[in-house]
Every structure is written in structure tokens, then in C-alpha cells.
Amino acid sequence: MNVIFHTTTAISVAVLLTDTKRIEQSTTSSNVIWTSILAFTVGLISHGALDYIPHCYPINSKLDAIVGLIIILTTTWLTNKRYRIIIALSFLGSIFPDLIDLSPAIINQQLGLNLPTFEKVFPWHLHNYSGSIYNDNCNNSTLNHILLLLTIVIICWCRRTDIKAIITKD
């Protein structure tokens, strides 16, 4: 899947897992720490699920990387300091497999470097377990992308009170 889909999923993961009322009422940071760890873990699992389902790549890879980075930076910047670690670890978990398995080869290709590349660590990046579609029939992929975006919108709509608390500056 494109980075944009992983990063938008990370936003919904963080929003879904963050109980702003409980965190605001707590006098310790343990709720934030546990939610952050959970957000990283669920982000990692969501990455695997998204890469496993059949998908094409509807967005140019350079544009995808730039927009994905803008989403990460803007969202993190807009986030209330209290919730920033949750958002950051959700983003990290959602793109971590690509950073480990794919980024050295992509950097080598784009910048002409010779960074070392290794065997894939995450199974969904192996050809046998990847849902990547390499022919021109992307109908299932388009449906999967639409369903993913619809799910993200529904999660964010249902948790809009938490979103407001997460992005409200101190």
C-alpha cells in the first residue's frame, strides 16, 4: 500500500485508541505511555493487514512519500503535546516495516547510493505474502482503498470529540 494509506490509517488508530477523558483525568502519564505502545503495535499490525490485502499503487511513489511525510509532520505539529507521543508512535508503527524492509533500496534507487540492503524482515513484504497486484486489473484494489478510507472516516467521525481534544493546543 502507499504511504498515504498507512499514515491515514495511523491517524485513525491513534484516535480509536486514545481515551482523552481518561488521560485528562489521570494524574500520571502511564495511560499515555500504554496507549502509545498500543498505538505503535496496532499501527504495525495494520501495516501488515494493509499490505496483505490485494492492492495496486494508485499514487506515484515520489508524490506518495512527500505527501505522507507532510501528513506525518502536519498532524504531529497540530497535536496537543499531551497526545503527541501517541500520534508519533502510531505513525512510526504504521510505516516502520517499510522503513526497515524497503527504504534502503528506495534510497539507493532515488539517490544513486549503495546502502546495504538485507532480506525482508516482515513477511508481508515477501512476494508470497504480499497483496501487491502487478497486472492492470486493479478493481479489487480500488474497492479495498475505498473501503479503507470509508472506515477511517467513520472512525474519525465517531471519535470526533477525541479528535478535537487531541488537536486542541494547550
Side-chain angles (χ1 to χ4, degrees):
M1 281 262 168
N2 289 103
V3 174
I4 291 172
F5 293 105
H6 290 301
T7 55
T8 54
T9 300
I11 294 169
S12 66
V13 164
V15 168
L16 186 64
L17 296 176
T18 305
D19 183 353
T20 56
K21 288 187 189 337
R22 187 178 59 155
I23 289 173
E24 288 172 5
Q25 293 172 351
S26 177
T27 57
T28 67
S29 59
S30 64
N31 286 331
V32 171
I33 292 168
W34 286 112
T35 303
S36 300
I37 293 168
L38 185 60
F40 177 86
T41 305
V42 173
L44 195 71
I45 293 167
S46 74
H47 185 109
L50 292 176
D51 276 6
Y52 186 73
I53 63 173
H55 62 278
C56 293
Y57 296 90
I59 303 166
N60 172 282
S61 61
K62 286 182 184 179
L63 177 64
D64 178 51
I66 292 167
V67 173
L69 182 60
I70 289 170
I71 290 170
I72 291 169
L73 294 175
T74 303
T75 304
T76 304
W77 178 70
L78 290 173
T79 300
N80 181 313
K81 289 179 199 173
R82 178 180 290 141
Y83 306 106
R84 197 166 285 158
I85 189 72
I86 298 170
I87 293 290
L89 285 179
S90 183
F91 279 133
L92 183 60
S94 73
I95 63 169
F96 188 75
D98 286 348
L99 293 175
I100 298 299
D101 284 349
L102 306 177
S103 64
I106 292 170
I107 291 169
N108 287 343
Q109 180 184 8
Q110 296 298 320
L111 301 178
L113 299 176
N114 286 320
L115 297 174
T117 57
F118 304 99
E119 294 293 320
K120 305 287 189 267
V121 174
F122 296 95
W124 51 81
H125 288 145
L126 299 173
H127 187 71
N128 294 350
Y129 303 110
S130 173
S132 296
I133 299 172
Y134 296 106
N135 60 31
D136 291 332
N137 186 1
C138 291
N139 293 336
N140 285 343
S141 174
T142 302
L143 178 61
N144 290 336
H145 285 106
I146 290 169
L147 291 173
L148 173 64
L149 293 174
L150 183 61
T151 302
I152 291 167
V153 167
I154 289 169
I155 289 169
C156 290
W157 175 257
C158 291
R159 300 296 300 256
R160 64 188 176 276
T161 305
D162 289 308
I163 290 175
K164 288 177 187 174
I166 290 169
I167 63 170
T168 302
K169 291 290 188 178
D170 287 339

